[in-house]
Amino acid sequence: MEAGPRNTDQGTQDPQDEAPRLSPDGPDEDAVTPEVEVELRPQRRLRIWQLAPIVMLAAVGSLMFAFPLAFGTGDGGAVVAMLGLLISCCAAGWGMMAARRVGHAWPGLPARGSGERPDWRVLALYVAGGAALVALAVWRVARLR
């Protein structure tokens, strides 16, 4: 017996002939089956373990800020109020960073990674509102003395 190719029927095609042809830049458009994209990652949202410390810190800071202002307790009231304001602002910043990390954006501002530029009027409104709140808080604490 000689080793060599086997005789095959002339009417049967090789499986290689049935495979889709490749063009120099990839498979032909007609031969490609449609693909379905499925998101494997879970939806990003804030969990309770992320929200609880932020809410507790904000509550403690706002109470520290509000009680000396409301009841005018002694000489240390201004210091406690400013410390409460600082803690409240830290909690607000922490909350904003956590919300931004999961994909939330402030109203009027584009989502992260969208490539859009924020409108300067919306930014000016946010800056003016924040400056007004800080000015009112500092003015109220200054009046305690």
Side-chain angles (χ1 to χ4, degrees), residues 9-118:
D9 292 316
Q10 298 299 330
T12 308
Q13 293 180 341
D14 282 341
Q16 294 175 347
D17 293 340
E18 294 174 10
R21 297 285 180 205
L22 292 177
S23 63
D25 58 346
D28 290 337
E29 296 287 324
D30 301 332
V32 177
T33 59
E35 295 179 7
V36 178
E37 291 186 26
V38 177
E39 184 66 34
L40 297 177
R41 292 179 291 171
Q43 182 180 4
R44 297 179 75 176
R45 58 185 165 168
L46 289 172
R47 306 269 195 268
I48 189 68
W49 60 269
Q50 292 170 312
L51 287 175
I54 297 169
V55 170
M56 289 174 45
L57 191 63
V60 167
S62 63
L63 288 175
M64 285 176 67
F65 180 63
F67 273 99
L69 296 180
F71 303 116
T73 56
D75 294 336
V79 174
V80 172
M82 288 304 286
L83 182 60
L85 180 63
L86 178 66
I87 292 173
S88 296
C89 290
C90 289
W94 189 7
M96 286 187 300
M97 292 300 291
R100 187 150 174 92
R101 183 170 292 229
V102 297
H104 297 297
W106 283 45
L109 296 179
R112 182 174 164 183
S114 67
E116 298 177 32
R117 296 191 66 183

